Amino acid sequence: MTIKIYWGEIMRELRLEYNLTQQEVAGVLHISRQTYSGLECGRTQPTVEILAILSNIYDIDIYSYAVNRMPDDMVAEQKDFKSTMPSSNKNKNKKRKKTSKYF
């Protein structure tokens, strides 16, 4: 099963929930309103950095927010797969040090 996450829809929902304009959010992201509009309309995809900033300003885990929009059977399949991974792979990510003073 393939699913495409429409980040633009998520970005628009969050912006409207906080009663913000595209111009206001674009300003925080240091991009033009037209560029931000392109993200919301799906003409372009947001970078990881943009998603991280949005996660911070809306005070949410944007990836969890996206997963909650996925079909239940797909989420269950991912959990099943994750539970079958060897424990050595699960612990690798936990041992990584932060490499940036910003995150």
Side-chain angles (χ1 to χ4, degrees), residues 31-86:
I31 59 177
S32 70
R33 189 212 47 84
Q34 293 83 356
T35 299
Y36 184 83
S37 176
L39 292 167
E40 279 193 5
C41 293
R43 286 189 300 270
T44 57
Q45 293 294 311
T47 63
V48 173
E49 293 83 5
I50 286 177
L51 293 173
I53 293 167
L54 293 173
S55 182
N56 187 39
I57 64 172
Y58 294 130
D59 199 26
I60 63 165
D61 178 352
I62 205 159
Y63 289 100
S64 293
Y65 189 88
V67 168
N68 287 335
R69 295 170 51 101
M70 292 181 184
D72 290 339
D73 59 336
M74 182 172 219
V75 175
E77 180 182 346
Q78 292 170 14
K79 287 181 182 177
D80 289 344
F81 176 78
K82 191 173 178 180
S83 69
T84 63
M85 292 172 45

